[in-house]
Amino acid sequence: MAKYLFEQLADLSHELDNGMPTYPGDTPTSLEATSTITKDGMNLTKVILSSHAGTHIDAPSHFIENGITIDQIPARFFVGEAVVVDVSNVPTGSGISVDEIAEKTRQQEIRRDDIVLLFTGCSELWGNPQLEKNFTFISEAAARYLVSKQVRAVGIDSFSVDCFTSTNFEAHKEILGSGLFIIESIGSTLKQFLGTRILLICPPLKLISCDGAPCRCLAIPMS
Ligand SMILES: [Zn+2]
């Protein structure tokens, strides 16, 4: 039986802070002190965030009319086994193909109800302006392939599962339209788990009727 190595837990989430990278055109993150211990006896902070700031979950309602919202995804879905697939040889800014995933998972089985995490290497360029509109994404066919594997969710360490210039958002629609959720902008700490299975814990904020929410994304290796 698999053993979870809790003492080796790793944080896969980006820091939420003023000036952090956001998807082009999205709300800039702002953290502003509204009270301080010196002046008011306590620290309080006003936080302004996009529902898709930093490492976050996309709920089906992000792209699907009448799709379920972030608060409607059962909380137990945010704790589960994940398979970490290395697709970093795909040139930055290109689409990940079915062949690429099939090749990489030949010896690394994708099981039903798995969370599939794709490591593109884009997370290592977090904050680099060149990456903003030129990140690696999932081709429509690859998204359909992952859905056909009956996985629970698809995660990626780049800004989006769709190409920046996409107007139809095929990968989002394919995945979210099948009732799965997406994890975007996973941190570069994912790299240490390439080719392995981990326990993933990624609960998003419980924002009512919302299309997505930032999450804390934690990896626990398995033996
Ligand atoms: Zn998103």
Side-chain angles (χ1 to χ4, degrees), residues 12 14 119 121-125 157 186-192:
L12 307 182
H14 283 297
F119 179 81
C122 286
S123 52
E124 294 187 302
L125 302 169
D157 68 328
I186 296 172
S188 62
T189 41
L190 181 64
K191 192 177 186 177
Q192 62 191 289

Side-chain angles (χ1 to χ4, degrees), residues 14 22 26 31 94 96-98 103 113 124 140 151 155 161:
H14 283 297
T22 51
D26 205 357
L31 276 71
S94 315
I96 303 161
S97 67
V98 175
E103 162 75 26
D113 205 32
E124 294 187 302
E140 182 179 12
V151 298
V161 294

